[in-house]
Each structure stands twice: as C-alpha cells, then as structure tokens.
Amino acid sequence: MGEFDLIARYFRRPVRRAALGVGDDCALLAPAAGMHLAVSSDMLVEGRHFFPDVYPAHLGHKALAVNLSDLAACGARPLAFTLALSLPRADEAWLQGFSDGLLALADAHGCELVGGDTTQGPLNICITVFGEVPTGQALLRSGARPGDDLWVSGHLGDARLALDALLGEMPVQLPPQVLAQARERLERPTPRVALGQALRGVASSAIDVSDGLVGDLGHILQASGVGAHIDTTLAPQLMAACAGGPVPDQLPYGRENLLRCVLAGGDDYELLFTAAPGRRAEVETAARQTGTRVTRIGAIEAEPGLRLRDEQGGLLDAQYLAFDHFR
C-alpha cells in the first residue's frame, strides 16, 4: 500500500463545512463573518507521549483530543484539522484502529479532516486544528483579576496515577479496576469543548491543564500579572480514583502522591479558568448545561505568586513542578 492509497483508504473524506478538503495542495476554510480563526498544533511522539502498546483507536482519539482541548480553552468551536503522520510501516490493522478513534472524535465535534502529510519514520503524530470564535469573545490567559474565583472542570490526577503505575513508580500496586479507569483518563481524555464555548462572556481567563495544574495556572498568573491560592484539601475530590474514598492520610498510595498527581500530574486536559464571584451562578449553569463537573478550588490574589493552603489555611512548603519536555 503506497502513501496515497493509505490516505485515500483511511483519511480521505468528503467535507461539509470547509470549502476544500483532502486531495489538493491546500485546504480552504471560510470562517463566518465576525469570527476569528483559532489555530493550534500539538505533536505526540511514541515513547514520550504514549506507550508503544497503546490501542490504536485510543491513540487516534487522544491525538485529536489534545488539540480540541486547546480550542476549548479559547472558547472556540471546532472547524477542521490537518494530520501529519510519520509511520514505521503501513500496518493496515493499526491504521484502521487509529483512524476509527481519530474520526469518531472528529465527527462528535463536527471537526473535518482537510489535509496533512504522511511519511515513513518513527511513529509521530502532529495535528493542527482550526476553530472559530466570535471577535472579541475568545477566552485568554491574560484576563484574571484579583478576587476572581479559580475553577477547574472534571477530575485531575488520574492520568498521572496511571502513568506512575505503568512505569512501576507507585509505592503500592493499584487494583486492576482503578488502573483501568485511570489509564482510560490517560489515553482517552475528554476535551471540554462545549464548556469552553458556554464560558464565553463568563470566564475572565482560561487554559487547559496539559502539563499540570500548578504549572498551567502559572501561565495565567504570569499573563494576568496576579497571584493565587489553591485549597489543597480538595485534592481527594479532584482525583476520580479516590473521590468519596478515605481521607488522604489513609489512601493506599499516600497523601504526597495524591497531591503530586493532582497538582503537577498533567495529561488531564481539563479546563482551568477564572471568573468573578458574581458569576458563580452562570458558571454552574454552564457546567450543568454541558454536563460537566466543575469545582471551585481557590481564588486570584493581587500579590504575585502561588500559595498552596492546607487544612488550617497554612502554606505547604513542597514544590510541585510542571511537566517540561526538556527538563
């Protein structure tokens, strides 16, 4: 099977929204009047971002999900994406599973595959996604103000829990059901696209949690010129693997591991956002209408820096570093 046969069989599809899709030298997109085009790219590399034994369908899902999450953080509606794919070989079974997972998520969000590239080489996936957002309504990192509430969607920490377990870095062995659920969060994250759009005009700033809560919050604080505090006692509620379970000191994998996974785990692809206290009802309405859990975890403060508060309101002295590809 040659390169163009591969594209035609697994990735060429008719487009409905784009003016021109796969098969020409360029795709043509036509955003509606009064809209800005939102564009983001993400790369997934075998051994760095995913395990070699990951199900191809899960990998296809995640490859697009991490890009849709960027659109969600901007409040944008997905339009289309391109796929650049480096493959060691043209494995038909692998390609079928990968394209099934990729295109199922694309269809669920009305996001059309409109072009890209394929080549032979180490397994590497790069997607560029395009969305649209009304002019002046995009959610940015730079809008947080002192007094704003700090919110996060969904759950945090389960992806890191799975990663540590799979790498053999957990102090105890996770029960099979817990590991399976956590690995699902690692390999099939849910991009909060609907919530992002519902927060336009409500949230003052937003970012998606890809490299860890503390690190990604740091980008908002830097861009907005503010500080913040986080209530770390909420950590057990934020990790799905222990929500409603024992108190942190009795967790089988320990309080410190819990905090590390929730605060610095990464690969969660949830939305971290700020909103004025007067907007709480609107935030909760947006969450309810989109079927998304949200938790208020802290507040924005005028004093620069991030403060992690314990049960007594004191400050934790531990350091939680974000993921960095080159550290």
Side-chain angles (χ1 to χ4, degrees):
M1 180 169 51
E3 174 185 358
F4 298 105
D5 296 325
L6 183 158
I7 294 170
R9 183 181 301 183
Y10 297 105
F11 301 112
R12 186 166 187 167
R13 316 176 90 200
V15 293
R16 299 176 182 176
R17 185 185 295 120
L20 184 65
V22 175
D24 221 298
D25 290 299
C26 289
L28 300 177
L29 304 180
M35 294 286 190
H36 277 157
L37 192 65
V39 183
S40 182
S41 292
D42 268 298
M43 185 183 302
L44 298 184
V45 178
E46 183 179 39
R48 187 60 169 171
H49 299 101
F50 58 90
F51 291 101
D53 66 344
V54 63
Y55 289 126
H58 289 186
L59 183 57
H61 173 102
K62 184 170 184 176
L64 182 58
V66 302
N67 286 270
L68 292 177
S69 183
D70 285 331
L71 292 186
C74 195
R77 179 173 73 107
L79 291 176
F81 69 101
T82 60
L83 169 67
L85 183 61
S86 171
L87 294 167
R89 62 190 181 282
D91 182 325
E92 295 186 35
W94 188 95
L95 281 162
Q96 188 65 65
F98 176 83
S99 62
D100 285 348
L102 175 80
L103 298 175
L105 186 63
D107 289 345
H109 290 280
C111 192
E112 301 177 332
L113 176 57
V114 296
D117 189 27
T118 59
T119 188
Q120 186 175 29
L123 183 55
N124 182 43
I125 306 151
C126 184
I127 285 179
T128 298
V129 71
F130 305 88
E132 62 180 10
V133 60
T135 302
Q137 294 187 33
L139 303 178
L140 306 176
R141 301 177 181 183
S142 54
R145 297 293 179 264
D148 282 356
D149 293 327
L150 183 62
W151 299 82
V152 69
S153 68
H155 292 94
L156 300 178
D158 297 275
R160 180 58 181 268
L161 187 70
L163 179 63
D164 285 354
L166 294 169
L167 292 175
E169 296 178 357
M170 289 297 299
V172 297
Q173 186 173 358
L174 295 182
Q177 183 178 0
V178 172
L179 177 56
Q181 291 173 344
R183 186 165 186 172
E184 177 79 4
R185 292 278 297 148
L186 173 67
E187 296 179 348
R188 285 177 49 83
T190 301
R192 303 300 183 179
V193 175
L195 179 63
Q197 294 175 65
L199 289 172
R200 293 193 308 231
V202 177
S204 53
S205 69
I207 191 172
D208 73 324
V209 182
S210 55
D211 296 327
L213 173 62
V214 167
D216 289 317
L217 175 56
H219 297 309
I220 287 181
L221 302 186
Q222 181 176 18
S224 299
V226 294
H229 78 264
I230 291 176
D231 179 1
T232 65
T233 65
L234 297 172
Q237 301 176 36
L238 292 175
M239 185 187 285
C242 61
V247 297
D249 290 332
Q250 297 172 346
L251 291 170
Y253 27 89
R255 177 188 178 88
E256 181 53 36
N257 277 319
L258 167 68
L259 290 175
R260 181 173 53 83
C261 288
V262 169
L263 297 175
D267 259 340
D268 296 301
Y269 299 101
E270 296 291 354
L271 289 188
L272 174 67
F273 59 96
T274 60
R279 300 279 195 174
R280 288 177 187 172
E282 292 171 88
V283 169
E284 291 167 355
T285 296
R288 185 172 58 254
Q289 290 177 342
T290 60
T292 311
R293 163 196 165 112
V294 294
T295 305
R296 185 158 46 94
I297 61 170
I300 299 298
E301 300 172 338
E303 181 184 353
L306 174 61
R307 288 156 286 280
L308 303 176
R309 301 203 176 276
D310 60 19
E311 293 86 344
Q312 288 76 41
L315 299 180
L316 299 184
D317 57 7
Q319 293 288 323
Y320 297 98
L321 300 177
F323 175 77
D324 186 324
H325 286 95
F326 294 97
R327 190 182 62 230

